[in-house]
Amino acid sequence: MEIGMIGLGRMGMNMARRLLEGGHAVTAFNRTPDKTRELAGYGAVAASSLTDLAARLVPPRLVWIMLPAGAPVDAAIAGIKDDLAPGDVIVEGGNSPFQDAPRRAEAMASRGVAFLDAGVSGGVWGREIGYCLMVGGDKAAFVRIEPVLATLAPPGGYMHCGPSGAGHFVKMVHNGIEYGMMQAYAEGFELLDASPFAGGLDYAGLCDLWNRGSVVRSWLLELAGQAFRQDPKLESLAPRVEDSGEGRWMLAEAVRLGVPMPVLAQALFARFASRRDNPFAERMLAALRHGFGGHGVTRAGGDDPGPLERS
């Protein structure tokens, strides 16, 4: 099948290469042409612009967008929509808020172009083992592009999840679950590392052990084992964890729908805490403990200030 790929970052590049390896014809455009030239070395056709990409595809066209959420996606759609025709399909595979999909689908439907939102999971390993694909939007368009989905995914690794927005909603929930799983592993290993048994534990070996029949086995645990083999105490890493937005969006939906999600909330807030330097709240806690109980404090740049005076 023929496909146009817009965006050749870590995900887009590897997805395009997997498609080429699967026998599909890929025409690609990237904002920085060095990535396009790199992919051309693997057999893709390099497009010089969005208009050029559309012109090189034989109608009915399939265009897949792999760009950061928000303005970059809207800019790509705006840049190619006038070059598309009725019967064409756009797939948006980035981590976009699910609310963006219906408005984009409606706008493209007025031109006779189908718009599908695809949640894509697989990370940097997807080219080798395949991507899990969660697709929302027009079912007929989904069926039409199944040869591409079947190549990108491992067996049984793609699904039509429902109407426009469903694909990205399911991916958002997937990522929220991922937050909680990672936090649970991190806290468990922190307790192990604080225990009197830490010195005799092989953390990489423990990850391998738990992946042999244990109820907590997972690919995340495999990745943890690889990390521990490279750096047994993870001393080369700073204790700072970023987030790309999906956890925030999921928590906002939980509040809107009145669904309790304490695990996701705690996992997300733990990431926020990892980025703080000299946090105000902890300084206030120290001051209050010192004030009501005379508990010792560590003063920045000085000695214990002594008991607080009553007003």
Side-chain angles (χ1 to χ4, degrees), residues 1-8 12-30 33-48 52-53 56-57:
M1 194 168 182
E2 188 179 46
I3 181 171
M5 181 68 74
I6 301 173
L8 298 176
M13 174 66 79
N14 281 340
M15 290 172 69
R17 289 185 61 185
R18 185 172 173 91
L19 288 169
L20 288 166
E21 291 160 3
H24 297 276
V26 177
T27 299
F29 171 76
N30 193 67
D34 58 319
K35 291 285 188 179
T36 315
R37 288 192 292 267
E38 179 184 345
L39 188 64
Y42 296 111
V45 175
S48 59
D52 183 39
L53 181 140
R56 290 176 180 270
L57 297 174

Side-chain angles (χ1 to χ4, degrees), residues 134-209:
M134 300 144 266
V135 184
D138 181 71
K139 183 64 179 288
F142 168 85
V143 171
R144 200 185 114 202
I145 71 164
E146 276 198 84
V148 164
L149 302 177
T151 298
L152 286 171
Y158 67 91
M159 176 186 287
H160 184 257
C161 297
S164 185
H168 281 160
F169 189 89
V170 171
K171 178 56 163 51
M172 175 189 74
V173 174
H174 164 282
N175 283 22
I177 293 170
E178 177 187 297
Y179 276 46
M181 290 174 66
M182 289 193 289
Q183 186 66 28
Y185 284 135
E187 291 179 9
F189 274 88
E190 183 167 32
L191 182 60
L192 288 171
D193 202 54
S195 77
F197 309 107
L201 284 173
D202 172 4
Y203 294 160
L206 186 55
C207 290
D208 294 340
L209 173 68

Side-chain angles (χ1 to χ4, degrees), residues 4 13 39-40 43 63 80 84 91 98-99 136 140 151 157 172 175 180 198-199 221 252 276 280 283 286 296 307:
M13 174 66 79
L39 188 64
V63 175
I80 200 169
L84 299 181
V91 181
F98 74 93
Q99 299 94 334
T151 298
M172 175 189 74
N175 283 22
L221 206 54
R276 305 175 75 202
F280 182 89
R283 298 202 309 275

Side-chain angles (χ1 to χ4, degrees), residues 49-70:
S49 67
L50 293 174
T51 295
D52 183 39
L53 181 140
R56 290 176 180 270
L57 297 174
V58 177
R61 305 170 184 86
L62 168 58
V63 175
W64 194 302
I65 300 173
M66 286 301 294
L67 293 171

